Amino acid sequence: MADWDLLLTDARIATMRADAPDYGVIGESGVGCVAVKDGKIAWIGPKSELPPGNSDTKRSLHGRWITPALIDCHTHLVFGGDRAEEFEQRLRGASYEDIAKAGGGIMSTVRATRDATADELFAAALPRTNALISEGVATIEIKSGYGLDVDNEIKLLEVARRLGEETSATIRTTLLAAHTVPPEFKNDADGYIDLICDKLLPRVCAAKLADAVDAYCESIAFDAEQVGKVFEKACELGLPVKLHADQLSDGGGAALAAKFDALSADHLEYTSANGVAAMAKTNAVAVLLPGAFLTLGETQLPPIDELRKRNVPIAVATDCNPGTSPMCSLRNAMMLASRLFRLTPEECLAGATRVAAQALGLNADRGTLEVGKRADIAIWDVSHPRELAYWTGTPQLAELLSGGHTSRP
Ligand code: NIG
Ligand code: FE
């Protein structure tokens, strides 16, 4: 006889398994069960097939829908200050690139971030993290990239790790030191790349502060050769890579990400069909960021049909950051992905669960509801999971389980 810690009964289950159609539904009439043991799913299926077992706690969900907990696979949510003033400037006509070239943009956040203590950064990032948790997010990726020197990049990664220790969320950290050229290296971007490769990456790796390495490949940031150097070093140190690719222009970012077998290539508004074809030969995920698309007033859509045609998996994330996506709601990102990019509600939900897990290299452990995976489960007050990309601003989360335990922000 099986021995479980928790048994959930009377659920409608959207497993989001890749190999099952229509949200991977089990028990649509409200007869689904999930057994949890040691924080993982030990059994899942309809009540009629439930094997005999004892469980410490047994709970009826009274026909509620459950899905995998949401995963935000691309954020920059640890930063100092804000850029509301630049937001106003942009609404008056200034472009993101103009502001960046005049020393604002990412650099203005770098100044505010360097000026802030770790405690101040933590205090500012905590409500953003909690906002995500409160709508069903159990796993969050957080990038550095607003420190741009050894000590400040490490400060950001440590704050991100602390958010994982002091909230219920699993935090995955990404070193994005190659975000923009810092003032100390004005006219010497290659010197900064050397600093990243020779000093910062080895230290971050030795202290196990980053789970992945990211870079910004763009005319206002780094070219393919410079990004390649950082990625080579990351690979040498055994860290997976991902890339901010083709956001403002086609810089061959998708193909570059594919060349390094990246976990993901993100943004992709200007990615060509050849770039998509290169990604399709790898396991790279296309992470779409409709918050940045909206905020920057982009009109060039990512190549959605090409991604679908080539079976490149599509994730959706908030890109939470003070410049291009001041947004702490993954539900909002899903809603925008459906409106702006015409993703179906099922693609939006897969993009914020199963595919988001793949973009973090965590797909063996979470992202779908199946035996052996972490019991990260969102319980919803909805009539069908398609509602999750349909409503915005409606608090439909009844409860979030993280590793089988109730999680509260
Ligand atoms: O994902 N593209 C570069 N990085 C961020 C923007 C960061 C910022 O403007 O502060 C992004 O859009
Ligand atoms: Fe980003």
Side-chain angles (χ1 to χ4, degrees):
M1 199 140 89
D3 192 18
W4 301 310
D5 300 328
L6 171 68
L7 178 63
L8 304 173
T9 64
D10 310 308
R12 294 165 211 262
I13 306 174
T15 65
M16 300 311 291
R17 288 177 67 126
D19 57 355
D22 295 337
Y23 300 81
V25 169
I26 295 176
E28 184 147 25
S29 55
V31 295
C33 296
V34 183
V36 177
K37 174 84 180 161
D38 297 330
K40 294 196 181 292
I41 297 173
W43 191 86
I44 186 164
K47 202 171 198 161
S48 57
E49 293 171 20
L50 184 68
N54 292 320
S55 60
D56 294 349
T57 309
K58 189 171 164 186
R59 289 181 52 193
S60 168
L61 296 185
H62 306 290
R64 280 193 167 115
W65 277 98
I66 65 173
T67 69
L70 305 184
I71 297 174
D72 194 350
C73 67
H74 181 140
T75 87
H76 311 242
L77 67 73
V78 181
F79 56 83
D82 68 74
R83 306 238 291 279
E85 209 184 307
E86 287 179 11
F87 171 63
E88 286 184 336
Q89 281 176 33
R90 276 193 283 117
L91 289 173
R92 278 191 240 106
S95 77
Y96 183 68
E97 288 98 324
D98 290 344
I99 292 172
K101 281 183 191 141
I106 294 172
M107 268 321 297
S108 80
T109 300
V110 170
R111 287 187 289 274
T113 302
R114 287 179 174 183
D115 283 347
T117 64
D119 282 345
E120 286 165 346
L121 292 171
F122 179 83
L126 186 60
R128 296 178 200 127
T129 307
N130 282 335
L132 290 170
I133 295 171
S134 71
E135 56 172 25
V137 178
T139 305
I140 305 170
E141 185 255 15
I142 302 178
K143 301 173 195 298
S144 66
Y146 293 123
L148 308 187
D149 62 28
V150 173
D151 289 347
N152 282 296
E153 285 293 295
I154 286 177
K155 178 173 78 175
L156 285 172
L157 294 172
E158 285 174 347
V159 169
R161 285 277 193 243
R162 184 173 159 204
L163 287 163
E165 284 153 19
E166 297 192 28
T167 71
S168 63
T170 299
I171 302 290
R172 298 292 280 184
T173 56
T174 301
L175 178 73
L176 175 59
H179 198 188
T180 196
V181 182
E184 301 78 24
F185 286 89
K186 199 168 182 266
N187 305 321
D188 184 19
D190 289 325
Y192 180 55
I193 293 291
D194 289 343
L195 174 86
I196 295 173
C197 295
D198 300 342
K199 291 214 175 71
L200 182 53
L201 257 170
R203 272 193 56 186
V204 163
C205 183
K208 295 196 175 13
L209 279 172
D211 303 305
V213 173
D214 196 344
Y216 187 22
C217 187
E218 193 61 63
S219 56
I220 54 170
F222 299 96
D223 63 27
E225 199 183 319
Q226 292 162 332
V227 171
K229 278 191 187 163
V230 175
F231 281 6
E232 265 163 32
K233 187 70 190 185
C235 294
E236 192 188 308
L237 293 169
L239 286 168
V241 301
K242 38 183 54 237
L243 187 65
H244 280 72
D246 309 328
Q247 181 187 14
L248 307 172
S249 58
D250 182 7
L256 179 63
K259 181 176 159 203
F260 284 90
D261 213 5
L263 287 171
S264 68
D266 304 33
H267 288 288
L268 302 180
E269 278 83 349
Y270 288 84
T271 297
S272 66
N274 284 344
V276 176
M279 285 179 72
K281 294 200 187 103
T282 73
N283 290 318
V285 167
V287 179
L288 303 187
L289 304 164
F293 178 92
L294 181 74
T295 304
L296 291 178
E298 278 289 345
T299 51
Q300 168 92 18
L301 286 165
I304 312 284
D305 287 338
E306 203 63 30
L307 292 168
R308 284 185 181 130
K309 200 172 90 193
R310 302 249 182 205
N311 289 319
V312 175
I314 300 174
V316 175
T318 61
D319 197 13
C320 174
N321 77 73
T324 63
S325 192
M327 184 168 76
C328 298
S329 168
L330 187 53
R331 288 285 306 278
N332 226 5
M334 293 163 66
M335 184 278 291
L336 290 175
S338 70
R339 307 306 196 270
L340 298 171
F341 300 160
R342 313 299 299 170
L343 295 196
T344 66
E346 187 175 3
E347 284 175 319
C348 292
L349 184 56
T353 54
R354 180 183 73 242
V355 187
Q358 186 180 339
L360 299 179
L362 291 176
N363 43 320
D365 183 60
R366 62 192 71 192
T368 60
L369 298 180
E370 45 189 317
V371 170
K373 292 212 179 173
R374 230 177 106 90
D376 284 2
I377 300 170
I379 306 170
W380 304 100
D381 283 322
V382 294
S383 64
H384 188 276
R386 65 174 67 91
E387 282 193 50
L388 299 174
Y390 166 69
W391 290 103
T392 180
T394 316
Q396 290 159 313
L397 183 75
E399 193 177 331
L400 175 64
L401 301 182
S402 186
H405 296 287
T406 300
S407 151
R408 284 197 182 78

